[in-house]
């Protein structure tokens, strides 16, 4: 099932009912204040559902286990869709704010607005092109999610984890595609951020019985019948061996190659040599240089001088080549 469809669907529904509200059509016999509060509550609840659906791994972390069988998507079109979803939430929030009188509701709505704005503003910097580095990435996060964020009380809980493992090849593929697009756009991590990443991946390639991914299946609560325990174990083993670890290996190989190819030019002296010799960093003519200098002084520095100095020299600045 595609979780993103339902999210956009309800935004549409919310937006339509909101429009109806704003234009006073079929308003129930309630005070306007109540209706505003209800609309805000609907927005909060729909935003939260969306947030959890977009990031099933975050949902596990905050203790909602509905989506424990899924993984976050790293597909570029999904990042773009999240952006437009967030912009729509933001628009609805801004429409609700002016009529909202209750102080607590206002504060909460303002917080949501600031959070959404931060997300929308941040998207400009395309941070999603850097999904893996030595401090974060699937090679570190999945083990943590499995062993400290998920719950294992029932047979279904264990089944969800197995489904999560089976979903990993798709996630790994999306990460590879995303990084490839990053390379096309010249957006990759610095070599220093990728140091030891390949070793981190390699550490995951252990026999299943010793794997941290198998750890939840080493002991079961009483609520899981012993006949089912064996089935769960063998299914988990299979999912780890056939789906999870090979996909990790594929990602590792891709990153290892990437570091070899792109890392070639990463030495400090090469970098500075490049700065000194690449024509991109030089002006073509004397006039271009002078104009850029004038522009910086007159239009960027000068307007800011009064912020720091009380007495500004009246004499005009002369530029001489
Ligand atoms: C988890 O989130 C989903 C989606 O918002 C919701 O339907 C469900 O009730 C939540 N579960 C709990 C235990 O809060
Ligand atoms: C390495 O740097 C050289 C010279 O600056 C450049 O021609 C080459 O394309 C670079 N290689 C990679 C893989 O970026």
């Amino acid at each position: 099932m595609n979780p993103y469809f339902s999210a956009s669907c309800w935004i549409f529904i919310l937006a339509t009912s909101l429009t109806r509200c704003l234009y006073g059509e079929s308003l129930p016999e309630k005070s306007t204040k109540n209706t505003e509060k209800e609309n805000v509550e609907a927005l909060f609840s729909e935003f939260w559902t969306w947030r959890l659906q977009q990031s099933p791994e975050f949902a596990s972390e905050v203790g909602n286990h509905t989506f424990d069988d899924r993984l976050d998507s790293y597909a570029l079109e999904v990042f773009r869709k999240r952006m437009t979803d967030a912009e729509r939430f933001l628009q609805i929030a801004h429409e609700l704010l002016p009529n909202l009188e209750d102080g607590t509701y206002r504060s909460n709505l303002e917080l949501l607005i600031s959070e959404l704005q931060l997300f929308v503003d941040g998207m400009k910097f395309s941070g999603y092109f850097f999904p893996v580095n030595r401090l974060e990435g699937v090679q570190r996060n999945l083990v943590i999610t499995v062993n400290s964020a998920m719950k294992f009380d029932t047979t279904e809980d264990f089944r969800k984890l197995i489904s999560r493992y089976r979903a990993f090849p798709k996630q790994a593929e999306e990460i590879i595609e995303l990084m490839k697009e990053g390379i096309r756009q010249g957006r990759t991590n610095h070599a220093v951020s990728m140091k030891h990443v390949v070793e981190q991946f390699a550490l995951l390639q252990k026999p299943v019985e010793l794997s941290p991914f198998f750890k939840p299946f080493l002991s079961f609560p009483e609520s899981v019948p012993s006949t089912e325990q064996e089935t769960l174990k063998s299914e988990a083993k299979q999912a780890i061996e056939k789906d999870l670890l090979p996909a990790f290996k594929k990602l590792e190989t891709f990153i290892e190659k990437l570091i070899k190819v792109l890392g070639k030019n990463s030495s400090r002296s090469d970098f500075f040599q490049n700065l000194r010799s690449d024509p991109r960093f030089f002006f073509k003519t004397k006039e271009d240089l002078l104009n850029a200098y004038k522009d910086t002084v007159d239009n960027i520095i000068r307007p800011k001088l009064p912020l720091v100095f009380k007495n500004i020299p009246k004499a005009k600045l002369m530029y001489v080549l």
Side-chain angles (χ1 to χ4, degrees), residues 142-153:
L142 191 59
V143 174
I144 299 171
T145 305
V146 168
N147 286 298
S148 54
M150 294 181 69
K151 78 172 177 75
F152 298 106
D153 300 332

Side-chain angles (χ1 to χ4, degrees), residues 49 52 64 66-67:
T49 302
L52 299 184
N64 182 312
T66 309
F67 309 117

Side-chain angles (χ1 to χ4, degrees), residues 68-69 150-166 213-225 228-229 231-233 235-236 239:
D68 272 10
D69 55 342
M150 294 181 69
K151 78 172 177 75
F152 298 106
D153 300 332
T154 65
T155 304
E156 202 205 340
D157 293 341
F158 288 94
R159 293 225 162 276
K160 280 184 168 176
L161 178 56
I162 295 170
S163 301
R164 197 163 242 187
Y165 287 158
R166 289 190 180 137
F213 295 116
F214 193 64
K215 214 170 145 205
F217 298 90
L218 293 177
S219 63
F220 291 88
E222 278 174 16
S223 55
V224 178
E228 279 180 28
Q229 294 180 12
T231 317
L232 288 171
K233 265 190 181 176
E235 281 180 22

Side-chain angles (χ1 to χ4, degrees), residues 261-262 264-265 274:
V261 177
L262 296 183
K264 277 209 180 100
N265 283 352
N274 188 273

Side-chain angles (χ1 to χ4, degrees), residues 198 251-263:
V198 171
L251 192 48
E252 175 187 330
T253 310
F254 172 77
I255 290 174
E256 191 174 16
K257 257 197 227 156
L258 185 64
I259 294 172
K260 271 203 191 113
V261 177
L262 296 183

